[in-house]
Coordinates of all heavy atoms in Angstrom, one line a residue:
K13 N 2.3 6.1 -10.6 CA 3.2 5.4 -11.4 C 4.0 4.5 -10.6 O 4.3 3.3 -10.9 CB 4.1 6.4 -12.1 CG 5.1 5.7 -13.1 CD 5.8 6.8 -13.9 CE 6.6 6.0 -15.0 NZ 6.9 6.8 -16.1
L25 N 7.3 -11.2 -7.7 CA 7.8 -11.9 -6.5 C 6.9 -13.0 -6.1 O 7.4 -14.0 -5.6 CB 7.9 -10.8 -5.4 CG 9.1 -9.8 -5.6 CD1 8.8 -8.6 -4.7 CD2 10.4 -10.5 -5.2
A27 N 5.2 -14.9 -8.1 CA 5.5 -16.0 -9.0 C 6.8 -16.7 -8.7 O 7.0 -17.9 -8.8 CB 5.6 -15.5 -10.5
G28 N 7.8 -15.9 -8.1 CA 9.0 -16.4 -7.6 C 9.0 -17.0 -6.2 O 10.1 -17.3 -5.7
K29 N 7.8 -17.1 -5.6 CA 7.7 -17.6 -4.3 C 8.4 -16.8 -3.2 O 8.8 -17.4 -2.2 CB 8.0 -19.1 -4.2 CG 7.2 -19.9 -5.2 CD 7.6 -21.4 -5.1 CE 6.9 -22.1 -6.3 NZ 6.0 -23.1 -6.0
A42 N -0.3 0.1 -2.0 CA -1.5 0.6 -1.4 C -1.2 2.0 -0.8 O -1.9 3.0 -1.0 CB -2.0 -0.3 -0.4
A49 N -4.1 9.9 -4.0 CA -5.5 10.4 -3.8 C -5.4 11.6 -2.8 O -6.0 12.7 -3.1 CB -6.4 9.4 -3.3
I56 N -0.1 16.4 1.3 CA 1.1 15.7 0.9 C 1.7 15.1 2.2 O 2.0 15.8 3.1 CB 2.1 16.7 0.3 CG1 1.5 17.5 -0.8 CG2 3.4 16.0 -0.2 CD1 1.0 16.7 -2.0
Q60 N 5.3 9.5 6.8 CA 4.6 8.4 7.5 C 4.1 7.4 6.5 O 3.9 7.7 5.3 CB 3.5 8.9 8.3 CG 2.2 9.4 7.5 CD 1.2 10.1 8.4 OE1 1.6 11.1 9.1 NE2 0.0 9.6 8.4
T62 N 1.6 4.9 7.5 CA 0.3 4.6 7.8 C -0.6 5.7 7.4 O -0.6 6.8 8.1 CB 0.1 4.3 9.3 OG1 1.0 3.2 9.6 CG2 -1.3 3.9 9.7
S64 N -3.9 5.1 5.9 CA -5.4 4.8 5.7 C -6.3 5.6 6.6 O -7.4 6.0 6.1 CB -5.6 3.3 6.0 OG -5.1 2.9 7.3
P65 N -6.0 6.0 7.8 CA -6.9 6.8 8.6 C -7.1 8.2 7.9 O -8.2 8.8 7.9 CB -6.3 6.9 10.0 CG -5.4 5.8 10.1 CD -4.9 5.5 8.7
F74 N -16.5 9.7 -0.8 CA -16.1 8.5 -1.7 C -16.8 7.3 -1.0 O -16.3 6.9 0.1 CB -14.6 8.4 -1.8 CG -14.1 7.3 -2.7 CD1 -14.9 6.6 -3.6 CD2 -12.8 7.0 -2.6 CE1 -14.4 5.6 -4.4 CE2 -12.3 5.9 -3.4 CZ -13.1 5.3 -4.3
I80 N -11.7 0.7 1.3 CA -10.3 0.9 0.8 C -9.4 1.1 2.0 O -8.3 0.5 2.1 CB -10.2 2.1 -0.1 CG1 -10.9 1.8 -1.4 CG2 -8.8 2.5 -0.3 CD1 -11.1 3.0 -2.3
A84 N -6.2 -1.3 3.0 CA -4.8 -0.7 3.2 C -4.3 -0.9 4.6 O -3.2 -1.2 4.8 CB -4.9 0.8 2.8
L87 N -2.8 -4.2 5.2 CA -1.4 -4.2 4.7 C -0.4 -3.4 5.6 O 0.7 -3.8 5.9 CB -1.4 -3.7 3.3 CG -2.1 -4.6 2.3 CD1 -2.3 -3.8 0.9 CD2 -1.4 -5.9 2.1
E90 N 1.0 -5.1 8.7 CA 2.2 -6.0 8.5 C 3.5 -5.2 8.6 O 4.5 -5.7 9.0 CB 2.1 -6.8 7.2 CG 1.0 -7.8 7.2 CD 1.1 -8.8 8.3 OE1 2.2 -9.3 8.6 OE2 0.1 -9.1 9.0
P97 N 14.1 -8.9 10.1 CA 14.0 -9.9 11.2 C 13.9 -9.1 12.5 O 14.4 -8.0 12.6 CB 15.4 -10.6 11.1 CG 16.2 -10.0 10.0 CD 15.4 -8.9 9.4
P105 N 12.2 -17.1 19.4 CA 13.1 -17.3 18.3 C 13.1 -16.0 17.4 O 12.2 -15.2 17.5 CB 12.5 -18.4 17.5 CG 11.1 -18.5 17.9 CD 11.0 -17.9 19.3
E111 N 10.5 -16.7 6.2 CA 10.1 -18.1 6.7 C 8.7 -18.0 7.3 O 8.1 -19.1 7.6 CB 11.1 -18.5 7.7 CG 12.5 -18.8 7.2 CD 13.4 -19.2 8.3 OE1 13.0 -19.2 9.5 OE2 14.6 -19.5 8.0
R137 N -10.0 9.1 -11.9 CA -10.2 9.4 -13.3 C -11.6 10.1 -13.4 O -11.7 11.1 -14.2 CB -10.2 8.1 -14.1 CG -8.9 7.6 -14.4 CD -8.9 6.4 -15.3 NE -7.5 6.0 -15.6 CZ -7.2 4.7 -15.8 NH1 -8.1 3.8 -15.9 NH2 -5.9 4.4 -16.1
Y140 N -11.3 13.6 -11.0 CA -10.2 14.6 -11.2 C -9.7 14.5 -12.7 O -8.8 15.3 -13.0 CB -9.0 14.3 -10.3 CG -9.4 14.5 -8.8 CD1 -9.8 13.4 -8.0 CD2 -9.4 15.8 -8.3 CE1 -10.1 13.6 -6.7 CE2 -9.8 15.9 -6.9 CZ -10.1 14.9 -6.2 OH -10.5 15.0 -4.9
L142 N -7.9 12.4 -14.0 CA -6.4 12.0 -14.0 C -6.2 10.7 -14.8 O -6.9 9.8 -14.7 CB -6.0 11.8 -12.5 CG -4.5 11.7 -12.3 CD1 -3.8 13.0 -12.7 CD2 -4.3 11.4 -10.8

Side-chain angles (χ1 to χ4, degrees):
K13 183 173 188 153
L25 288 161
K29 301 181 189 240
I56 307 299
Q60 73 188 57
T62 301
S64 57
F74 182 14
I80 289 168
L87 294 167
E90 291 304 315
E111 295 177 357
R137 280 186 180 149
Y140 298 96
L142 192 64

